[in-house]
Amino acid sequence: MAPAATSSRSHAAQDPREQQLDVSGQNRVAIFDKQGGPVSIKDVPVQKQLKRGEALVRVIYTGVCHTDLHAMLGDWPLDNKLPLVGGHEGAGVVVALGEGADQFVKVGDRVGIKWIATSCLNCSFCRTGAEPNCPHAQCSGFSVDGSFQKYAVSYANHLSIIPDALPLDQAAPILCAGVTVYKALKEAQLIPGQYVAIPGAGGGLGHLAIQYAVAAGYRVIAIDTGADKKQLCESLGAEKFIDFKTSKSLVDDIKAATPDGFGPQAAVVAASGAAAYEQALDYIRPRGVLVAVGLPGNTDIRANVFFTVFRSVRVVGSYVGNRQDAQEALEIAASGKVRTHFKTLGLSQLPQVYDDMQSGKIAGRIVLDIDQ
Ligand code: NAD
Ligand code: ZN
């Protein structure tokens, strides 16, 4: 650990813990040893030796993303580190820096740990702003330990600076859910007044997608299920809510929600279930775009060649965002145009959160207080 300058940024602390920059006591982690769990809460020594470019972050709040659940269950065709401390929506303060890290952040800075923990910043992807596609990228809570711990070692070059006006609990879900949907909406290349359908609209990503879309002047058709999620989506500015479990024809209902009946210009699929992809290419209008965001395991997007050509539709994948996208998504949240709808629980409740997430019971996001 190199001695480091303290933050020169002035900010009114939102949480008294933001002022406690000493590294005291044990590290508290939520960890699993094998795919499928169980997840257990343990006290372990704090890792105080930092390598060049590393930063020690005192995490105060962390969001729980469905990706954390996919990783724990082993849903994807990629291997994660084991044992693994998950989490990639971490919000806290920098408490120590490795050599050279102070060119990016200072001790005391309010920072966010996002999914892309680091990237080389020197390959053709990084140089053109496609940092998530860097072949050397590391992912928080997947290839390196993430934010489900009190003291997380991360990489200074990819930490986000959390604006002073944004409380850390509000900020946490922006670090994955927020930046991901903000970037996905950019990929849709809509103009104000156009329609976007959002399957998964009542979830962590989806409820933020509604708000970034409304802020950009797009008109939102929300697709999810249940009274809680309907109420949430409508309160956030969705003009229409379609329940995918009770709709007799999703395609007809979604098309009917646009004035000319041809359907929305885009679908940003933010659902965790495979079914959400099945009809998206049928309900977007000709020349429309399907933006794939949700990551159900072992799922194909089936596109009929004739109709892809005849209807001239596009399919694009969108993978989180780069450092600038994250900073912009945070700034918009700090302005009050986007607000995370969340319930706060303790780190010790993570196993219950996973159960509720799997059964689709969570409207918006769960944010964990690391000390509870
Ligand atoms: P979440 O559990 O909070 O929300 C998912 C929502 O999808 C729930 O409200 C659920 O009811 C809804 N849903 C399920 N099946 C549906 C269907 N057939 N039609 C419409 N809605 C449906 O999950 P989350 O944290 O918002 O994550 C969503 C997905 O996005 C996950 O698969 C996650 O791994 C993925 N993700 C992708 C990226 C990326 O970079 N592309 C980043 C973060 C998360
Ligand atoms: Zn995520």
Side-chain angles (χ1 to χ4, degrees), residues 298-313:
N298 199 19
T299 302
D300 295 324
I301 297 172
R302 292 179 63 80
N304 176 279
V305 171
F306 179 82
F307 284 108
T308 301
V309 174
F310 186 68
R311 303 183 71 242
S312 313
V313 289

Side-chain angles (χ1 to χ4, degrees), residues 66-67 70 176 200 203-205 224 229 244 270 276 293-295 318 320 365:
H66 209 114
T67 289
H70 289 308
C176 177
L205 268 65
D224 211 309
K229 291 178 184 173
F244 72 89
V293 177
L295 288 165
S318 190
V320 289
R365 230 348 159 227

